[in-house]
């Protein structure tokens, strides 16, 4: 299989490539990544000798066409992915997430290539804390932020290209990922690396917002399950029943770091901050037989903390610029 993976110099895509090189050595992997502030070739280093890396933009139609022509399967991770950035400057989100997906869809349409689209649970909006429901594939789209609105737009393009042009596509919407190689702008790595720097963790608002955490390796094993066995045109929700509020996560990071669990600060809230995400992944589990392997969040988090301690050279170059951006928005 010749596999084109977009956005694999980022967090989830780089882990996907490492898992693929490790577990499926017969797959020929080509990565397309623009190396934005969020991408780093260093994230691909462990697999670098086994893959082809192309630096380029998913909105570059000629380049995309050439790469798709040589692929059997495309997995599209590339995106602008951070909600806070989408509030400060939405344009790159429209360009990469919507126009980039359009560009890939036109190429896979021309070449009849199997396409898997990586998306997020945020397209469904949010749930109240006491709502017994979780998101299902039937939940209506109701995105809140510029980021989630552009991801929702890209999902709808995929659905339309399946129905109107017969494109061979599947979609997955996953909950919040954690694990190695996640940019220090994101919640968990930000707090871990702040603590390494002697800065107290920062919780938005009251810290009561709930995210449904999944280890990145479980997200990626689910993506492979969908590539192997998913039904064309279908949407699969990926989640591992990992609901926790942000305060609980910070308390755990503090405890695992040997510090008092109340040594955090509350900072101003994110505008439009989604209250709660929760995934019902029963379709993926029942129809395709997938199950997560990282069932213990505390163990996964401890391993993630160890990874950031051992890999300061990987994250240090991003840290100051990231915190400078947060300082500008008072968070
Ligand atoms: P990330 O920001 O860590 O990585 C994104 C990668 O895409 C980077 O390497 C960047 O250089 C690349 N990129 C950005 N714009 C590009 C462009 N125009 N052309 C080519 N490459 C470009 O993101 P992530 O957290 O790894 O997320 C990957 C995908 O998974 C995204 O589609 C995101 O919406 C989705 N997702 C993320 C999460 C999460 O918790 N992080 C959860 C569900 C879904
Ligand atoms: O310093 C912080 N303090 C804080 O309380 C940061 C950076 C975040 N938060 C809160 C906001 C959220 O409730 O933590 C939660 C997680 O924040 P993010 O890491 O920014 O993730 P989120 O906005 O939930 O979106 C993530 O999950 C879905 C990814 O960034 C998206 O790409 C994915 O689609």
């Amino acid at each position: 299989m010749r596999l084109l993976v977009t956005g694999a110099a980022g967090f989830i895509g780089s882990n996907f490539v490492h898992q693929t090189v490790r577990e499926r050595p017969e797959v020929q992997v080509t990565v397309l990544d623009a190396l934005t502030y969020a991408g780093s070739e260093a994230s691909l280093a462990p697999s670098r000798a086994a893959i082809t890396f192309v630096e380029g933009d998913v909105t570059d139609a000629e380049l995309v066409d050439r790469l798709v022509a040589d692929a059997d399967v495309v997995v599209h991770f590339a995106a602008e992915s951070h909600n806070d950035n989408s509030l400060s400057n939405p344009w790159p989100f429209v360009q990469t997430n919507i126009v980039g997906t359009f560009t890939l869809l036109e190429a896979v349409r021309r070449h009849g290539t199997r396409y898997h689209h990586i998306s997020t649970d945020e397209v469904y909006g949010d749930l109240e804390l006491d709502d017994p429901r979780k998101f299902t594939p039937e939940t209506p789209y109701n995105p809140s932020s510029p980021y989630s609105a552009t991801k929702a737009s890209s999902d709808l393009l995929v659905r339309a290209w399946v129905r109107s042009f017969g494109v061979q596509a599947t979609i997955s919407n996953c909950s919040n990922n954690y694990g190695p190689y996640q940019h220090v702008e994101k919640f968990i790595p930000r707090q871990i690396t702040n603590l390494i720097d002697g800065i107290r963790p920062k919780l938005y608002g009251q810290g009561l917002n709930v995210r449904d955490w999944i280890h990145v390796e479980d997200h990626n094993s689910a993506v492979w399950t969908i590539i192997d066995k998913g039904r064309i045109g279908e949407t699969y929700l990926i989640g591992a029943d990992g609901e926790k509020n942000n305060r609980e996560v910070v308390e755990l990071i503090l405890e695992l770091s040997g510090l008092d669990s109340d040594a955090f600060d509350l900072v101003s809230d994110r505008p439009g901050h989604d209250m709660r995400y929760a995934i019902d992944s029963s379709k993926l589990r029942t129809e395709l037989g997938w199950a997560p392997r990282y069932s213990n969040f505390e163990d996964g988090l401890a391993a993630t903390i160890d990874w950031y301690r051992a890999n300061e050279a990987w994250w240090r170059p991003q840290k100051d610029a990231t915190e400078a951006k947060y300082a500008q928005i008072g968070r």
Side-chain angles (χ1 to χ4, degrees):
M1 180 195 285
R2 297 166 305 165
L3 181 70
L4 176 64
V5 188
T6 72
F11 166 44
I12 305 174
S14 62
N15 280 285
F16 180 78
V17 167
H18 301 320
Q19 195 176 107
T20 302
V21 167
R22 223 173 38 236
E23 295 175 7
R24 300 183 182 232
E26 71 284 4
V27 175
Q28 289 173 37
V29 177
T30 298
V31 168
L32 171 62
D33 196 294
L35 297 180
T36 69
Y37 82 96
S40 157
E41 269 195 273
S43 302
L44 287 167
S47 302
R48 194 65 183 80
I51 64 166
T52 303
F53 178 80
V54 178
E55 183 176 346
D57 201 297
V58 288
T59 62
D60 179 340
E62 255 177 55
L63 174 63
V64 165
D65 189 75
R66 205 156 11 102
L67 294 173
V68 169
D70 282 337
D72 303 308
V73 178
V74 177
V75 186
H76 179 36
F77 288 96
E80 285 291 337
S81 69
H82 193 37
N83 274 300
D84 289 320
N85 289 343
S86 83
L87 296 164
S88 309
N89 181 18
W91 170 243
F93 290 75
V94 172
Q95 181 69 3
T96 288
N97 300 359
I98 304 178
V99 179
T101 299
F102 163 78
T103 307
L104 280 157
L105 285 170
E106 285 292 83
V108 297
R109 174 187 169 197
R110 270 191 298 276
H111 296 285
T113 315
R114 172 83 171 85
Y115 173 85
H116 181 70
H117 185 71
I118 302 290
S119 192
T120 169
D121 58 359
E122 297 192 19
V123 299
Y124 299 112
D126 62 352
L127 299 160
E128 296 298 329
L129 293 180
D130 60 359
D131 193 328
R133 291 172 305 169
K134 297 182 173 198
F135 299 139
T136 73
E138 284 72 46
T139 304
Y141 274 36
N142 186 26
S144 316
S145 73
Y147 163 67
S148 49
T150 59
K151 291 298 292 186
S153 308
S154 68
D155 293 8
L156 296 180
L157 291 179
V158 178
R159 289 184 183 192
W161 262 241
V162 169
R163 174 149 175 181
S164 301
F165 304 124
V167 160
Q168 301 287 296
T170 41
I171 300 175
S172 56
N173 298 82
C174 187
S175 59
N176 284 61
N177 287 218
Y178 73 98
Y181 299 107
Q182 186 168 30
H183 195 280
V184 291
E185 70 191 356
K186 301 298 191 324
F187 177 54
I188 288 178
R190 185 183 187 204
Q191 315 312 334
I192 294 171
T193 54
N194 272 358
L195 285 174
I196 292 171
D197 282 351
I199 302 167
R200 286 159 69 95
K202 295 174 198 289
L203 281 170
Y204 294 176
Q206 296 302 308
L208 299 179
N209 304 65
V210 170
R211 296 295 181 264
D212 190 352
W213 292 100
I214 182 172
H215 195 278
V216 64
E217 294 269 329
D218 282 336
H219 181 177
N220 286 330
S221 72
V223 170
W224 265 116
T225 300
I226 297 165
I227 295 169
D228 288 338
K229 301 193 251 178
R231 284 187 290 133
I232 296 304
E234 293 294 311
T235 291
Y236 296 92
L237 268 54
I238 306 174
D241 297 324
E243 280 188 73
K244 295 218 172 326
N245 76 32
N246 295 335
R247 193 185 279 242
E248 291 171 308
V249 174
V250 156
E251 286 171 353
L252 201 49
I253 294 173
L254 283 161
E255 281 165 26
L256 290 167
S257 305
L259 298 161
D260 288 344
S261 61
D262 60 354
F264 57 78
D265 292 328
L266 299 178
V267 297
S268 65
D269 208 352
R270 172 186 282 170
H273 195 177
D274 280 339
M275 185 46 91
R276 170 174 162 244
Y277 306 137
I279 288 271
D280 175 349
S281 60
S282 51
K283 176 175 170 182
L284 177 65
R285 294 175 191 239
T286 313
E287 281 187 20
L288 306 188
W290 173 83
R293 280 176 295 193
Y294 287 76
S295 48
N296 187 319
F297 180 70
E298 188 170 333
D299 289 351
L301 190 59
T304 304
I305 294 172
D306 288 344
W307 189 88
Y308 280 89
R309 287 198 181 129
N311 290 279
E312 182 164 345
W314 178 84
W315 57 265
R316 179 58 69 191
Q318 321 298 335
K319 185 67 181 167
D320 286 351
T322 302
E323 287 306 313
K325 262 197 222 171
Y326 277 122
Q328 271 178 359
I329 55 171
R331 285 201 286 280

